[in-house]
Amino acid sequence: MKDHQGRSIQYLRLSVTDQCNLNCRYCRPEGHSTHSGTLLTPAELEAIGAAGVRLGLTKLRITGGEPLLRSDVLEITRRLAALPGVEELAMTTNGLLLADMAASLRQAGLMRVNVSLDSLAPAQFFALTGGGDLAAVLRGLDAAERAGLVPMKLNVVLMGGINEDKIPDFVALTKHRPIIVRFIELMPIGESTAFVTERLVSSDAVLHACPELTPVPGRLQGVARVYQLPNAVGKVGLIRPMSRHFCGQCNRIRVTADGNVKPCLHHEVETSLRGLTGEGLVAALRQGILSKPAGHTMTSHRPSRAGRNMHQIGG
């Protein structure tokens, strides 16, 4: 369906948990989690997905926190995959548990994965994530590719003075592998605002570091502008929420793990879907779409109005 700005809303991001096994500074400040008793059940998630499909939402994404921490994530995946009208079911994960679960996720109906990965250097990855094991993530990438969870995307959050000098290493991954490396500008959100402000860098840094990248004519993949190295198998995407607002092309809404529809990542407006079924649930989701604002007001000096940390929303 269309919102009041005339945008066609087709994409529903369903967070299944705000718990995570990493502590990336821009996403999840240490000590923040939600008790599992408040999370949406598989049946509730299925009902929300079905209501979304009735409204014309054809793309569903399972997010977190880290969705693979849910012991019932395969059940959730099966329920969502079985919904008539779902054209794409994807997941965003940090990849730590993916090696052991990729094949089962594919069998359950998952079509592809995005993996968040901000460094290819083991020591730096460990430091950035509060103890993450890069080797485990790389095994997860290989397992996902073998399982057919493709095209696979790597989400790289750009941090000035931290991983900015590693841009060529990430771009080089696209030479021989059919992956899309997406560089995402930091966003000042929640308790991570001070950290972000100090390290904010434009996605132009990617084009400066790799001038051989050329735009793929006419390609806008979601909210990413797409580029490619000469003769490369994969591609590079630039996502610019700060330097070039793409709100006019936004086609998504979110549901948080505790059951609130959030029409915009960067606005505090939320409506609870708890306890709603049937037409009531459809109506609440429809109203969420219709309340989607024209755009965010975030700048390098004005933080997001999200009202939560990133891991509590489902990024």
Side-chain angles (χ1 to χ4, degrees), residues 16 26-27 40 52 110 168 202-203 222 234 246 254:
V16 299
Y26 59 82
C27 178
L40 291 168
L110 193 70
S202 167
S203 291
F246 46 72
R254 293 169 167 81

Side-chain angles (χ1 to χ4, degrees), residues 192-208:
S192 301
T193 295
F195 171 83
V196 168
T197 302
E198 295 173 0
R199 293 160 179 82
L200 186 62
V201 60
S202 167
S203 291
D204 287 338
V206 176
L207 302 179
H208 293 153

Side-chain angles (χ1 to χ4, degrees), residues 136-205:
V137 178
L138 297 180
R139 289 194 297 271
L141 297 181
D142 292 339
E145 196 168 336
R146 288 195 302 271
L149 295 171
V150 293
M152 188 163 45
K153 298 178 182 178
L154 296 187
N155 292 339
V156 184
V157 177
L158 280 174
M159 291 172 273
I162 295 181
N163 65 357
E164 189 178 0
D165 62 334
K166 305 299 191 298
I167 289 171
D169 297 336
F170 278 105
V171 171
L173 293 175
T174 69
K175 290 180 179 179
H176 306 295
R177 294 185 73 170
I179 61 175
I180 302 168
V181 175
R182 307 195 307 171
F183 293 95
I184 305 170
E185 292 176 343
L186 271 169
M187 294 173 282
I189 182 171
E191 295 177 45
S192 301
T193 295
F195 171 83
V196 168
T197 302
E198 295 173 0
R199 293 160 179 82
L200 186 62
V201 60
S202 167
S203 291
D204 287 338

Side-chain angles (χ1 to χ4, degrees), residues 28-48:
R28 180 179 181 260
E30 266 190 85
H32 287 265
S33 63
T34 289
H35 188 273
S36 60
T38 69
L39 300 179
L40 291 168
T41 67
E44 288 174 317
L45 288 160
E46 179 185 15
I48 292 169

